[in-house]
Amino acid sequence: VYVNGYDRAGRAIVIYYPTTDAACPVGESVVFLAYCLDYALALGAAGKGPSGRRIREYSFIIDFSRVGRPAPFKTVKACIAVIGKQ
């Protein structure tokens, strides 16, 4: 998960690469995801995008192209819960 650039509307782009359980414990993954989403919202709120407008939104991209096996359901479910609370 990382924040990389802005879309045409000036929203921060958050890119998420799902991984397997072996990469990192679910709790740590969820905490890091929450940090990245908060960071993306903070960038928009500060008007750091190309438009200079203050936007409290982000674009979220899930890239499955690098995943060999599907991410475990408990990891996906925990991450979606965090996204829903943001």
Side-chain angles (χ1 to χ4, degrees):
V1 178
Y2 62 96
V3 179
N4 185 23
Y6 300 90
D7 65 7
R8 291 181 184 163
R11 298 175 294 225
I13 297 174
V14 179
I15 301 176
Y16 174 55
Y17 295 102
T19 59
T20 61
D21 254 348
C24 185
V26 175
E28 290 179 23
S29 295
V30 171
V31 168
F32 185 64
L33 174 62
Y35 166 79
C36 288
L37 296 178
D38 285 342
Y39 179 66
L41 288 174
L43 287 175
K48 302 274 186 179
S51 66
R53 296 182 307 144
R54 295 174 184 250
I55 301 172
R56 298 275 308 165
E57 299 174 353
Y58 53 80
S59 294
F60 194 81
I61 298 171
I62 302 174
D63 186 352
F64 290 104
S65 67
R66 298 183 185 182
V67 177
R69 300 181 309 164
F73 181 71
K74 66 180 180 179
T75 302
V76 174
K77 183 178 176 184
C79 291
I80 289 173
V82 169
I83 294 167
K85 291 179 183 176
Q86 293 290 333

